[in-house]
Structure formats: C-alpha cells, structure tokens
Amino acid sequence: MNKNFGFDTAIRLMKDGEKVRRSGWNGKGMWICLGAGQEGLTADKFWNKHTKAFAEALGGAADVLPYFIMKTADDKILMGWLASQSDMVAEDYEIVD
C-alpha cells in the first residue's frame, strides 16, 4: 500500500507518523506530514512573539492543536498546509520513504 490511495488513507498514515505526497503534484520533492500538537507547550518553546505572549498570559503554557506541515518544492517548510478540494478527492497519494 505504498501508492495510489486517497486522502482518507493519507490522513490515517500521517497520524501513524508517515509522510506522504501526491504523484500529481508538480513540485519536485514535496511532501506533507502531521504535526501532532502538544498539550501545555511552555511559552519559551514558542518562536512567534504573539503565541509566546498568549502562552505567558495563560500562565506560561498553551495547548497546540495538530496541524499539517508541507515540505515545499523550493525546500521550505510550510506550517499549516491546507488541502484543496482536488487534494481531498485525489487517489494518487503515496508514502514517502
């Protein structure tokens, strides 16, 4: 089951720690994975001044929800990737080794 599965399976696999990609993506080397989030992340672990201040205002920590991460075609990390409608109905996902 390394190739040609849908977004539902891709989500399940990412929850299990895999990274996946679509064979139909034009960008070379792109993939997505799931950031698991974390309960009670301490303020000093936030690198954005606004989220750090929010955690401090809550007493020094804040909960981070799960989120998608993408490695882009130009070798950058995109935090908070959103699937398009085409991505959600595609059946060309595969596991990235």
Side-chain angles (χ1 to χ4, degrees), residues 17-86:
E18 299 288 348
K19 60 184 178 181
V20 300
R21 66 178 169 226
R22 286 192 54 204
S23 62
W25 279 338
N26 292 330
K28 195 172 189 178
M30 296 169 65
W31 49 260
I32 55 174
C33 65
L34 186 64
Q38 183 174 335
E39 289 186 23
L41 185 66
T42 57
D44 63 313
K45 301 285 195 273
F46 287 94
W47 62 85
N48 177 281
K49 68 180 182 180
H50 302 295
T51 53
K52 181 176 184 172
F54 175 72
E56 289 169 345
L58 289 179
D63 294 341
V64 177
L65 298 172
Y67 53 95
F68 288 110
I69 302 165
M70 173 182 263
K71 197 291 245 165
T72 64
D74 58 349
D75 291 331
K76 294 182 174 67
I77 297 296
L78 172 65
M79 306 294 280
W81 173 79
L82 295 174
S84 70
Q85 291 181 5
S86 295

